Amino acid sequence: MNVPLWLWFAVIGLILLMLTFDLVAHRRAHVISVREAAIWSAVWVLMGVAFGGVVWLGYGAEFGQQYFAGYVIEKSLAVDNVFVWAIIFAFFGVPREFQHRVLFLGVLGALVFRGIFIAAGSAIIASAEWVLYLFAAFLIFTGYKMLKQRNEHIDPEKSRTLKLFRRYVPMTDAFYGQRLLIRKKGVLLATPLLAVLVMVEVTDIVFAVDSIPAIFAVTDEVFLVFTANAFAILGLRAMYFLLADLIHRFIYLKVGLSLVLVWVGIKMLLKVDVFYIPTAISLGVIITILAISIGASLLATRGEERRALPGPLTSPFRTATPEEFEDLQPVWGRKGVAAGTDPRNDT
């Protein structure tokens, strides 16, 4: 697959343009409604599918199928990531109007880290093809582990990341709008929102360790690996606000995801020396597994209403008062909140 340099720049430019548009559209802190989340989810999915159509038309059916196989894998694994975000937000008691900014920065960081992982993975595979055996074994083991632990959930209180953050980073006991850092009495302090962002980034890195090898099982093309990841990740924020209150209904999703990981692990293992499973078959198997697991989940939980994850009985953090905002000092040379403005909308 011969991808000219201008096409790389064009895709990256499109991604940055859409991120900028998304940031401007959500520059004011507000609660994302289900309708708004559904519209944005549709926009991001249409973009991902449209790009796959461009690949199909420009480079042929095989590369088009490889892109869509990678896109479906990344999108489905991302759902599990979304559920972890919901648990983190519930644990910290993050107000809904502040969650979008954290997820925006989290997705931005995820694009950077995944770009690094993809480049590293491609270089490793190119220099030592036997590494594919390790990737395949890792995927099969991860799928088995996910199936075995399907009813277990992350406990933020026991997170090493959070413990290290609390130990080394001085933090306030209140949310200061969408601010990540504040300065009081000359001391630079992190807000709880920064701790949430760090946990979101770390969890995405952990998920990337699974998803990057998985996508290499269906395509060796770095361009397709990157774009499938990028377009799948870009819609995660909207997907979160759409699905966060439906976690309790996807009871068999982890079973489906574990089977997908095992399947792509087997495909990668056979691909090295034995037999290359056509991409169309792989894509069909992946879609079938996911469709059955999601359909069975929704059927088994039909009639259940949307509901947010239960948070702690007492919120661990409060919201800063306007008086506390007035006492803040500039962090990066900026002046404090102007009189008459809503500090919750401060960026």
Side-chain angles (χ1 to χ4, degrees):
M1 185 177 186
N2 183 23
V3 180
L5 190 60
W6 68 263
L7 185 54
W8 275 98
F9 282 117
V11 171
I12 294 174
L14 175 62
I15 292 171
L16 294 176
L17 179 64
M18 291 303 298
L19 284 172
T20 302
F21 179 76
D22 187 26
L23 180 61
V24 172
H26 297 92
R27 64 187 181 278
R28 292 292 181 182
H30 67 284
V31 177
I32 307 295
S33 66
V34 174
R35 180 176 180 276
E36 183 180 356
I39 292 173
W40 275 97
S41 293
V43 169
W44 291 119
V45 170
L46 285 174
M47 281 191 63
V49 172
F51 184 82
V54 171
V55 172
W56 195 304
L57 292 174
Y59 290 94
E62 175 60 25
F63 289 122
Q65 291 169 2
Q66 288 181 18
Y67 167 84
F68 280 115
Y71 179 79
V72 171
I73 288 173
E74 294 300 325
K75 202 71 172 176
S76 58
L77 291 175
V79 175
D80 201 25
N81 203 355
V82 163
F83 292 167
V84 172
W85 290 350
I87 293 172
I88 294 173
F89 283 141
F91 172 79
F92 279 89
V94 181
R96 289 224 165 191
E97 61 267 30
F98 302 154
Q99 292 176 3
H100 184 275
R101 178 60 56 86
V102 174
L103 295 181
F104 176 87
L105 295 174
V107 166
L108 192 61
L111 287 171
V112 174
F113 282 117
R114 293 198 179 208
I116 295 172
F117 288 168
I118 291 168
S122 177
I124 292 172
I125 292 173
S127 60
E129 191 175 355
W130 57 268
V131 172
L132 290 175
Y133 287 114
L134 297 181
F135 281 1
F138 174 76
L139 289 171
I140 294 172
F141 172 76
T142 302
Y144 164 76
K145 186 177 178 181
M146 181 181 290
L147 182 62
K148 186 177 179 182
Q149 301 175 347
R150 61 187 179 277
N151 296 321
E152 298 180 12
H153 303 286
I154 181 176
D155 184 354
E157 184 64 41
K158 298 179 181 179
S159 167
R160 293 182 181 178
T161 301
L162 182 57
K163 290 179 180 178
L164 289 172
F165 187 91
R166 284 173 166 171
R167 181 176 180 181
Y168 294 106
V169 181
M171 185 172 66
T172 69
D173 65 343
F175 292 103
Y176 282 78
Q178 299 188 88
R179 297 187 180 196
L180 302 177
L181 295 168
I182 63 168
R183 188 180 295 276
K184 297 182 68 174
K185 298 180 180 180
V187 179
L188 189 64
L189 301 170
T191 70
L193 219 55
L194 181 59
V196 174
L197 176 59
V198 170
M199 290 199 66
V200 166
E201 289 287 7
V202 171
T203 55
D204 184 76
I205 291 173
V206 172
F207 276 94
V209 172
D210 297 338
S211 64
I212 298 302
I215 195 171
F216 272 114
V218 295
T219 180
D220 298 325
E221 298 294 336
V222 178
F223 182 73
L224 298 182
V225 173
F226 174 76
T227 52
N229 260 276
F231 284 106
I233 290 173
L234 284 173
L236 284 189
R237 295 179 309 287
M239 184 189 294
Y240 165 79
F241 291 107
L242 188 63
L243 300 180
D245 294 345
L246 295 173
I247 294 177
H248 58 285
R249 296 201 59 187
F250 290 85
I251 57 177
Y252 300 125
L253 180 61
K254 277 202 171 183
V255 176
L257 294 178
S258 64
L259 293 177
V260 168
L261 289 176
V262 171
W263 165 253
V264 295
I266 293 173
K267 180 184 186 307
M268 179 177 281
L269 196 63
L270 295 176
K271 171 184 173 182
V272 181
D273 292 314
V274 183
F275 175 71
Y276 176 76
I277 299 175
T279 306
I281 295 177
S282 293
L283 181 58
V285 170
I286 292 169
I287 291 176
T288 300
I289 291 174
L290 293 173
I292 291 175
S293 63
I294 293 173
S297 296
L298 297 178
L299 184 63
T301 59
R302 62 187 180 279
E304 295 191 19
E305 301 292 333
R306 298 179 67 93
R307 64 170 185 263
L309 282 179
L313 295 178
T314 304
S315 180
F317 302 102
R318 59 188 179 82
T319 299
T321 64
E323 290 76 17
E324 288 177 305
F325 270 90
E326 292 179 359
D327 293 335
L328 296 181
Q329 297 170 317
V331 175
W332 311 118
R334 289 181 57 192
K335 294 182 179 180
V337 180
T341 61
D342 186 348
R344 292 174 299 175
N345 289 330
D346 183 71
T347 57

